[in-house]
Amino acid sequence: NNVTDYTFKDESGRLETIQATPEHPFYSINRHDYVPIGKIWYNSLRNNQKEQIQTEFGKSVTLVNAKPHNGEV
């Protein structure tokens, strides 16, 4: 089981954590394409900007943490 906890921060600073496999695609606003979440940049800058992810509701968020899921729901 390679489920990982991914924590995102929205523009107002709110955090949300979801569980997904590293292969699950998320839409990268920076790349204009779907990217496996395990390949999203976080906690570092690329080209002087953090990678922005678009949620299913059209909101822009950034990935701030990724850690192995401990099995609890």
Side-chain angles (χ1 to χ4, degrees):
N1 186 349
N2 63 347
V3 174
T4 301
D5 292 335
Y6 294 98
T7 303
F8 297 91
K9 182 165 53 172
D10 69 15
E11 294 170 342
S12 66
R14 277 182 291 210
L15 298 174
E16 180 178 358
T17 301
I18 65 163
Q19 290 79 42
T21 60
E23 300 81 21
H24 189 87
F26 282 73
Y27 188 78
S28 167
I29 295 169
N30 303 69
R31 302 186 208 190
H32 305 284
D33 200 3
Y34 285 89
V35 178
I37 190 64
K39 303 240 184 234
I40 297 293
W41 322 315
Y42 73 99
N43 289 341
S44 66
L45 297 175
R46 292 261 174 119
N47 300 323
N48 295 320
Q49 60 184 342
K50 288 210 175 229
E51 186 156 15
Q52 298 292 307
I53 304 301
Q54 183 172 324
T55 70
E56 62 185 310
F57 305 109
K59 191 165 55 169
S60 176
V61 297
T62 55
L63 179 63
V64 294
N65 195 20
K67 64 180 184 174
H69 183 64
N70 66 11
E72 296 177 15
V73 177

Coordinates of all heavy atoms in Angstrom, one line a residue:
N1 N 0.8 -1.2 0.0 CA 0.0 0.0 0.0 C 0.9 1.2 0.0 O 1.6 1.5 0.9 CB -0.9 0.0 1.2 CG -1.9 1.1 1.2 OD1 -1.8 2.0 0.5 ND2 -2.9 1.0 2.1
N2 N 0.8 2.0 -1.0 CA 1.7 3.2 -1.1 C 0.8 4.5 -1.0 O 1.1 5.5 -1.7 CB 2.5 3.2 -2.4 CG 1.7 3.2 -3.7 OD1 0.5 3.0 -3.6 ND2 2.4 3.5 -4.8
V3 N -0.2 4.5 -0.2 CA -1.0 5.7 0.0 C -0.2 6.7 0.8 O 0.5 6.4 1.7 CB -2.3 5.3 0.7 CG1 -3.1 6.6 1.0 CG2 -3.2 4.4 -0.2
T4 N -0.3 8.0 0.3 CA 0.4 9.1 1.0 C -0.6 10.1 1.4 O -1.6 10.3 0.7 CB 1.4 9.6 0.0 OG1 2.3 8.6 -0.4 CG2 2.2 10.8 0.6
D5 N -0.3 10.8 2.5 CA -1.1 12.0 2.9 C -0.5 13.2 2.3 O 0.7 13.5 2.5 CB -1.0 12.1 4.5 CG -1.7 11.0 5.2 OD1 -2.7 10.4 4.6 OD2 -1.4 10.8 6.4
Y6 N -1.3 13.9 1.5 CA -0.8 15.2 0.9 C -1.6 16.3 1.5 O -2.8 16.3 1.5 CB -1.1 15.1 -0.6 CG -0.3 14.1 -1.3 CD1 -0.8 12.8 -1.6 CD2 1.0 14.3 -1.7 CE1 -0.1 11.8 -2.3 CE2 1.8 13.3 -2.3 CZ 1.2 12.1 -2.6 OH 2.0 11.1 -3.2
T7 N -0.8 17.3 2.0 CA -1.4 18.5 2.6 C -1.3 19.7 1.6 O -0.2 20.0 1.2 CB -0.8 18.8 3.9 OG1 -0.9 17.7 4.8 CG2 -1.5 20.0 4.6
F8 N -2.4 20.4 1.4 CA -2.5 21.5 0.5 C -2.9 22.8 1.3 O -3.6 22.7 2.3 CB -3.6 21.3 -0.6 CG -3.3 20.1 -1.5 CD1 -3.8 18.9 -1.2 CD2 -2.5 20.3 -2.6 CE1 -3.5 17.8 -2.0 CE2 -2.3 19.2 -3.5 CZ -2.8 18.0 -3.2
K9 N -2.4 23.9 0.8 CA -2.8 25.2 1.4 C -3.4 26.0 0.3 O -2.9 26.2 -0.8 CB -1.6 25.9 2.0 CG -1.9 27.2 2.7 CD -0.8 27.8 3.5 CE 0.5 28.0 2.9 NZ 1.5 28.7 3.7
D10 N -4.6 26.6 0.7 CA -5.3 27.5 -0.3 C -4.8 28.9 -0.1 O -4.0 29.2 0.8 CB -6.8 27.3 -0.2 CG -7.4 27.9 1.1 OD1 -6.8 28.6 1.8 OD2 -8.6 27.5 1.3
E11 N -5.4 29.8 -0.9 CA -4.9 31.2 -0.9 C -5.2 31.9 0.4 O -4.6 32.9 0.7 CB -5.6 32.0 -2.1 CG -5.1 31.4 -3.4 CD -5.9 31.9 -4.6 OE1 -7.0 32.4 -4.4 OE2 -5.4 31.8 -5.7
S12 N -6.2 31.4 1.2 CA -6.5 32.1 2.5 C -5.7 31.5 3.6 O -5.8 31.8 4.8 CB -8.0 32.0 2.8 OG -8.4 30.7 3.0
G13 N -4.8 30.5 3.3 CA -4.0 29.8 4.3 C -4.6 28.6 4.9 O -3.9 28.0 5.8
R14 N -5.8 28.2 4.5 CA -6.4 27.0 5.1 C -5.7 25.7 4.6 O -5.3 25.7 3.4 CB -7.8 26.9 4.7 CG -8.7 27.7 5.7 CD -10.1 27.5 5.3 NE -10.2 28.2 4.0 CZ -11.3 28.8 3.5 NH1 -12.4 28.8 4.2 NH2 -11.3 29.4 2.4
L15 N -5.5 24.8 5.5 CA -4.8 23.5 5.1 C -5.9 22.4 4.9 O -6.9 22.4 5.7 CB -3.8 23.1 6.2 CG -2.7 24.1 6.4 CD1 -1.9 23.6 7.6 CD2 -1.8 24.2 5.1
E16 N -5.6 21.5 4.0 CA -6.5 20.3 3.8 C -5.6 19.2 3.4 O -4.7 19.3 2.6 CB -7.5 20.6 2.7 CG -8.4 19.4 2.5 CD -9.5 19.6 1.4 OE1 -9.6 20.7 0.9 OE2 -10.2 18.6 1.2
T17 N -5.8 18.0 4.1 CA -5.0 16.8 3.8 C -5.9 15.8 3.2 O -7.0 15.6 3.6 CB -4.4 16.3 5.1 OG1 -3.6 17.3 5.7 CG2 -3.6 15.0 4.8
I18 N -5.4 15.2 2.1 CA -6.1 14.1 1.4 C -5.2 12.9 1.3 O -3.9 13.1 1.5 CB -6.6 14.5 0.0 CG1 -5.4 14.8 -0.9 CG2 -7.5 15.7 0.1 CD1 -5.8 14.8 -2.4
Q19 N -5.7 11.7 1.0 CA -4.9 10.6 0.8 C -5.0 10.2 -0.7 O -6.1 10.2 -1.3 CB -5.4 9.4 1.7 CG -5.2 9.5 3.1 CD -6.1 10.4 3.8 OE1 -7.3 10.4 3.6 NE2 -5.6 11.3 4.7
A20 N -3.9 9.9 -1.2 CA -3.8 9.5 -2.7 C -2.6 8.6 -2.9 O -1.6 8.7 -2.1 CB -3.8 10.7 -3.6
T21 N -2.5 7.9 -4.0 CA -1.3 7.2 -4.4 C -0.5 8.2 -5.2 O -1.0 9.2 -5.7 CB -1.6 6.0 -5.3 OG1 -2.3 6.5 -6.4 CG2 -2.4 5.0 -4.5
P22 N 0.9 8.1 -5.2 CA 1.7 9.0 -5.9 C 1.4 9.2 -7.4 O 1.8 10.2 -8.0 CB 3.1 8.5 -5.6 CG 3.0 7.7 -4.4 CD 1.6 7.1 -4.4
E23 N 0.8 8.1 -7.9 CA 0.5 8.2 -9.4 C -0.8 8.9 -9.7 O -1.0 9.2 -10.9 CB 0.3 6.7 -9.9 CG 1.6 5.9 -9.7 CD 1.7 5.3 -8.3 OE1 0.7 5.2 -7.6 OE2 2.8 4.9 -7.9
H24 N -1.6 9.3 -8.7 CA -2.8 9.9 -9.0 C -2.6 11.3 -9.6 O -1.8 12.1 -9.1 CB -3.6 10.1 -7.7 CG -5.0 10.6 -7.9 ND1 -6.1 9.7 -8.2 CD2 -5.6 11.8 -8.0 CE1 -7.2 10.4 -8.4 NE2 -6.9 11.7 -8.2
P25 N -3.3 11.6 -10.8 CA -3.0 12.8 -11.5 C -3.8 14.0 -10.8 O -4.9 13.9 -10.4 CB -3.6 12.6 -12.9 CG -4.6 11.5 -12.7 CD -4.2 10.7 -11.5
F26 N -3.1 15.2 -10.8 CA -3.6 16.4 -10.4 C -3.3 17.5 -11.4 O -2.3 17.4 -12.1 CB -3.0 16.9 -9.0 CG -3.6 16.2 -7.8 CD1 -3.3 14.9 -7.6 CD2 -4.5 16.8 -7.0 CE1 -3.8 14.2 -6.5 CE2 -5.0 16.2 -5.9 CZ -4.7 14.9 -5.6
Y27 N -4.2 18.5 -11.6 CA -3.9 19.5 -12.6 C -3.0 20.5 -12.1 O -3.3 21.2 -11.2 CB -5.2 20.1 -13.1 CG -5.0 21.0 -14.3 CD1 -4.8 20.4 -15.6 CD2 -4.9 22.3 -14.2 CE1 -4.5 21.2 -16.7 CE2 -4.6 23.1 -15.3 CZ -4.4 22.5 -16.6 OH -4.2 23.3 -17.7
S28 N -1.8 20.7 -12.8 CA -0.8 21.7 -12.5 C -1.1 22.9 -13.3 O -1.1 22.9 -14.6 CB 0.6 21.2 -12.8 OG 1.5 22.3 -12.8
I29 N -1.4 24.0 -12.7 CA -1.6 25.3 -13.4 C -0.4 25.7 -14.0 O -0.4 26.2 -15.2 CB -2.2 26.4 -12.4 CG1 -3.6 25.9 -11.9 CG2 -2.2 27.7 -13.0 CD1 -4.1 26.8 -10.7
N30 N 0.8 25.5 -13.4 CA 2.1 25.9 -14.0 C 2.4 25.2 -15.3 O 2.9 25.7 -16.2 CB 3.2 25.7 -13.0 CG 3.0 26.4 -11.7 OD1 2.1 26.0 -10.9 ND2 3.8 27.4 -11.4
R31 N 2.1 23.9 -15.3 CA 2.5 23.0 -16.4 C 1.4 22.9 -17.4 O 1.6 22.4 -18.5 CB 2.9 21.6 -15.9 CG 4.0 21.7 -15.0 CD 4.5 20.3 -14.6 NE 5.0 20.2 -13.3 CZ 5.7 19.1 -12.8 NH1 5.8 18.1 -13.6 NH2 6.2 19.1 -11.6
H32 N 0.2 23.4 -17.1 CA -1.0 23.3 -18.0 C -1.3 21.8 -18.4 O -1.6 21.5 -19.6 CB -0.8 24.2 -19.2 CG -0.5 25.6 -18.9 ND1 -1.5 26.5 -18.5 CD2 0.6 26.3 -19.0 CE1 -0.9 27.6 -18.3 NE2 0.4 27.5 -18.6
D33 N -1.1 20.9 -17.4 CA -1.3 19.5 -17.7 C -1.5 18.8 -16.4 O -1.2 19.3 -15.3 CB -0.1 19.0 -18.4 CG -0.3 17.7 -19.1 OD1 -1.5 17.2 -19.2 OD2 0.7 17.1 -19.7
Y34 N -2.0 17.6 -16.5 CA -2.2 16.7 -15.4 C -0.8 16.0 -15.1 O -0.1 15.6 -16.0 CB -3.2 15.6 -15.6 CG -4.6 16.1 -15.5 CD1 -5.2 16.7 -16.6 CD2 -5.3 16.2 -14.3 CE1 -6.5 17.2 -16.6 CE2 -6.6 16.7 -14.2 CZ -7.2 17.2 -15.3 OH -8.4 17.7 -15.3
V35 N -0.5 16.0 -13.8 CA 0.8 15.5 -13.3 C 0.6 14.6 -12.2 O -0.2 14.9 -11.3 CB 1.7 16.7 -12.9 CG1 3.1 16.2 -12.3 CG2 1.9 17.7 -14.0
P36 N 1.3 13.4 -12.1 CA 1.1 12.6 -10.9 C 1.5 13.4 -9.7 O 2.5 14.1 -9.6 CB 2.2 11.4 -11.1 CG 2.4 11.4 -12.6 CD 2.2 12.9 -13.1
I37 N 0.7 13.3 -8.6 CA 0.9 14.1 -7.4 C 2.3 13.8 -6.8 O 2.9 14.7 -6.3 CB -0.2 13.8 -6.4 CG1 -0.1 14.8 -5.2 CG2 -0.2 12.4 -5.8 CD1 -0.4 16.2 -5.6
G38 N 2.9 12.7 -7.0 CA 4.2 12.4 -6.5 C 5.3 13.2 -7.2 O 6.4 13.2 -6.7
K39 N 5.0 13.8 -8.3 CA 5.9 14.6 -9.1 C 5.7 16.1 -9.0 O 6.3 16.9 -9.6 CB 5.9 14.2 -10.5 CG 6.1 12.7 -10.8 CD 7.3 12.5 -11.6 CE 7.4 11.0 -11.9 NZ 8.7 10.5 -11.6
I40 N 4.7 16.5 -8.1 CA 4.5 17.9 -7.9 C 5.5 18.5 -7.0 O 6.0 17.9 -6.0 CB 3.1 18.1 -7.2 CG1 2.0 17.6 -8.2 CG2 2.8 19.5 -6.9 CD1 1.8 18.3 -9.4
W41 N 6.0 19.7 -7.4 CA 7.0 20.4 -6.6 C 6.4 20.9 -5.3 O 5.3 21.5 -5.3 CB 7.6 21.6 -7.3 CG 7.8 21.5 -8.7 CD1 8.4 20.4 -9.4 CD2 7.4 22.4 -9.8 NE1 8.4 20.6 -10.7 CE2 7.8 21.9 -11.0 CE3 6.9 23.6 -9.8 CZ2 7.7 22.5 -12.2 CZ3 6.7 24.3 -11.0 CH2 7.1 23.7 -12.2
Y42 N 7.0 20.8 -4.2 CA 6.6 21.4 -2.9 C 7.7 21.7 -2.0 O 8.8 21.1 -2.2 CB 5.5 20.5 -2.2 CG 6.1 19.3 -1.5 CD1 6.3 19.3 -0.1 CD2 6.3 18.1 -2.2 CE1 6.8 18.2 0.5 CE2 6.8 17.0 -1.5 CZ 7.0 17.1 -0.2 OH 7.5 16.0 0.5
N43 N 7.5 22.7 -1.2 CA 8.6 23.2 -0.2 C 9.8 23.6 -1.0 O 10.9 23.6 -0.4 CB 8.9 22.1 0.8 CG 7.8 22.0 1.8 OD1 6.9 22.8 1.9 ND2 7.8 20.8 2.5
S44 N 9.7 24.0 -2.2 CA 10.8 24.6 -3.0 C 10.3 25.4 -4.1 O 9.1 25.2 -4.5 CB 11.7 23.5 -3.5 OG 11.1 22.7 -4.5
L45 N 11.1 26.2 -4.6 CA 10.6 27.1 -5.8 C 11.2 26.6 -7.0 O 12.4 26.2 -7.1 CB 11.1 28.5 -5.5 CG 10.5 29.2 -4.3 CD1 11.1 30.6 -4.2 CD2 9.0 29.4 -4.4
R46 N 10.5 26.6 -8.1 CA 10.9 26.3 -9.4 C 10.7 27.5 -10.3 O 9.5 28.0 -10.3 CB 10.2 25.1 -10.0 CG 10.5 23.8 -9.4 CD 11.5 23.0 -10.2 NE 11.9 21.8 -9.5 CZ 11.7 20.6 -9.9 NH1 11.1 20.4 -11.1 NH2 12.1 19.5 -9.2
N47 N 11.6 28.0 -10.9 CA 11.5 29.2 -11.7 C 10.9 30.3 -10.9 O 10.0 31.1 -11.3 CB 10.6 29.0 -13.0 CG 11.3 27.9 -13.8 OD1 12.5 27.9 -14.0 ND2 10.4 27.1 -14.4
N48 N 11.3 30.4 -9.6 CA 10.9 31.5 -8.7 C 9.4 31.4 -8.3 O 8.8 32.4 -8.0 CB 11.2 32.9 -9.2 CG 12.7 33.0 -9.2 OD1 13.4 32.6 -8.3 ND2 13.2 33.7 -10.3
Q49 N 8.7 30.3 -8.5 CA 7.3 30.2 -8.1 C 7.0 28.8 -7.6 O 7.6 27.8 -8.0 CB 6.4 30.5 -9.3 CG 6.6 29.6 -10.5 CD 5.8 30.1 -11.7 OE1 4.8 30.8 -11.5 NE2 6.1 29.6 -12.8
K50 N 6.0 28.7 -6.7 CA 5.6 27.4 -6.2 C 4.6 26.9 -7.2 O 3.9 27.6 -7.9 CB 4.8 27.6 -4.8 CG 5.8 27.9 -3.7 CD 5.3 27.3 -2.4 CE 6.3 27.5 -1.4 NZ 6.5 26.3 -0.6
E51 N 4.5 25.6 -7.3 CA 3.6 25.0 -8.3 C 2.2 25.1 -7.7 O 1.9 24.8 -6.6 CB 4.0 23.5 -8.5 CG 3.1 22.9 -9.6 CD 3.8 21.7 -10.2 OE1 4.7 21.1 -9.7 OE2 3.3 21.3 -11.3
Q52 N 1.3 25.5 -8.6 CA -0.1 25.7 -8.2 C -0.9 24.5 -8.8 O -0.8 24.2 -10.0 CB -0.7 27.0 -8.8 CG 0.0 28.3 -8.2 CD -0.3 28.5 -6.8 OE1 -1.4 28.5 -6.4 NE2 0.7 28.6 -6.0
I53 N -1.8 24.0 -7.9 CA -2.7 22.9 -8.3 C -4.1 23.4 -8.4 O -4.5 24.2 -7.5 CB -2.6 21.7 -7.3 CG1 -1.1 21.3 -7.1 CG2 -3.5 20.6 -7.7 CD1 -0.5 20.8 -8.4
Q54 N -4.8 23.0 -9.4 CA -6.2 23.4 -9.5 C -7.1 22.3 -8.9 O -7.0 21.1 -9.3 CB -6.7 23.7 -10.9 CG -8.1 24.2 -11.0 CD -8.4 24.7 -12.4 OE1 -7.6 25.2 -13.1 NE2 -9.6 24.4 -12.8
T55 N -7.9 22.6 -7.9 CA -8.8 21.6 -7.3 C -10.0 21.3 -8.3 O -10.2 22.0 -9.3 CB -9.4 22.0 -6.0 OG1 -10.3 23.1 -6.2 CG2 -8.3 22.5 -5.0
E56 N -10.7 20.2 -7.9 CA -11.9 19.9 -8.7 C -12.9 21.0 -8.7 O -13.8 21.0 -9.6 CB -12.5 18.6 -8.3 CG -13.0 18.7 -6.8 CD -13.5 17.3 -6.3 OE1 -14.3 16.7 -7.0 OE2 -13.1 16.9 -5.2
F57 N -12.8 21.9 -7.8 CA -13.8 23.1 -7.7 C -13.2 24.3 -8.3 O -13.8 25.4 -8.1 CB -14.2 23.3 -6.2 CG -14.7 22.1 -5.5 CD1 -14.0 21.4 -4.6 CD2 -15.9 21.5 -5.9 CE1 -14.5 20.2 -4.0 CE2 -16.4 20.4 -5.3 CZ -15.7 19.7 -4.4
G58 N -12.1 24.2 -8.9 CA -11.5 25.4 -9.6 C -10.6 26.3 -8.7 O -10.2 27.3 -9.2
K59 N -10.4 25.9 -7.5 CA -9.6 26.7 -6.6 C -8.1 26.4 -6.8 O -7.7 25.2 -7.1 CB -10.0 26.3 -5.1 CG -9.5 27.2 -4.1 CD -10.2 27.1 -2.7 CE -10.3 25.7 -2.2 NZ -10.7 25.6 -0.8
S60 N -7.3 27.4 -6.6 CA -5.8 27.2 -6.7 C -5.2 26.9 -5.3 O -5.5 27.6 -4.3 CB -5.2 28.5 -7.2 OG -3.8 28.4 -7.2
V61 N -4.5 25.8 -5.2 CA -3.8 25.4 -3.9 C -2.4 25.1 -4.2 O -2.0 24.8 -5.3 CB -4.5 24.3 -3.2 CG1 -6.0 24.6 -2.8 CG2 -4.5 23.0 -4.1
T62 N -1.6 25.1 -3.1 CA -0.2 24.6 -3.2 C 0.0 23.4 -2.3 O -0.6 23.3 -1.3 CB 0.9 25.7 -2.8 OG1 0.6 26.1 -1.5 CG2 0.8 26.8 -3.8
L63 N 0.8 22.5 -2.8 CA 1.2 21.3 -2.0 C 2.2 21.7 -1.0 O 3.3 22.2 -1.4 CB 1.7 20.2 -2.9 CG 2.1 18.9 -2.2 CD1 0.9 18.2 -1.5 CD2 2.7 17.9 -3.2
V64 N 2.0 21.5 0.3 CA 3.0 21.9 1.3 C 3.6 20.7 2.1 O 4.6 20.9 2.8 CB 2.3 22.9 2.4 CG1 2.0 24.2 1.7 CG2 1.1 22.3 3.1
N65 N 3.0 19.5 2.0 CA 3.6 18.4 2.7 C 3.1 17.1 2.1 O 2.0 17.0 1.6 CB 3.3 18.4 4.2 CG 4.1 17.5 5.0 OD1 5.2 17.1 4.6 ND2 3.7 17.2 6.2
A66 N 4.0 16.1 2.1 CA 3.6 14.7 1.7 C 4.3 13.8 2.7 O 5.5 13.9 2.9 CB 4.1 14.5 0.3
K67 N 3.5 12.8 3.2 CA 4.1 11.8 4.1 C 3.4 10.5 4.0 O 2.2 10.6 3.7 CB 4.2 12.3 5.6 CG 2.8 12.6 6.1 CD 2.9 13.0 7.6 CE 1.5 13.1 8.2 NZ 1.5 13.5 9.6
P68 N 4.0 9.4 4.2 CA 3.3 8.1 4.1 C 2.1 8.1 5.0 O 2.1 8.6 6.1 CB 4.4 7.1 4.6 CG 5.7 7.8 4.3 CD 5.4 9.3 4.6
H69 N 1.0 7.5 4.5 CA -0.2 7.4 5.3 C -0.1 6.3 6.3 O 0.5 5.3 6.1 CB -1.4 7.0 4.3 CG -2.7 7.0 5.0 ND1 -3.3 8.1 5.6 CD2 -3.5 5.9 5.2 CE1 -4.5 7.7 6.1 NE2 -4.6 6.4 5.9
N70 N -0.5 6.6 7.6 CA -0.3 5.7 8.7 C -1.4 4.7 8.8 O -1.4 3.9 9.7 CB -0.1 6.5 10.0 CG -1.4 7.2 10.4 OD1 -2.5 7.0 9.9 ND2 -1.3 8.0 11.4
G71 N -2.4 4.6 7.9 CA -3.4 3.6 7.9 C -4.7 4.0 8.7 O -5.7 3.4 8.6
E72 N -4.7 5.1 9.4 CA -5.8 5.6 10.1 C -6.7 6.4 9.2 O -6.2 7.1 8.3 CB -5.4 6.4 11.4 CG -4.7 5.6 12.4 CD -4.2 6.5 13.6 OE1 -4.7 7.6 13.7 OE2 -3.4 6.0 14.3
V73 N -8.0 6.4 9.5 CA -8.9 7.2 8.6 C -9.4 8.4 9.4 O -9.6 8.3 10.6 CB -10.1 6.4 8.1 CG1 -11.0 7.2 7.3 CG2 -9.6 5.2 7.3

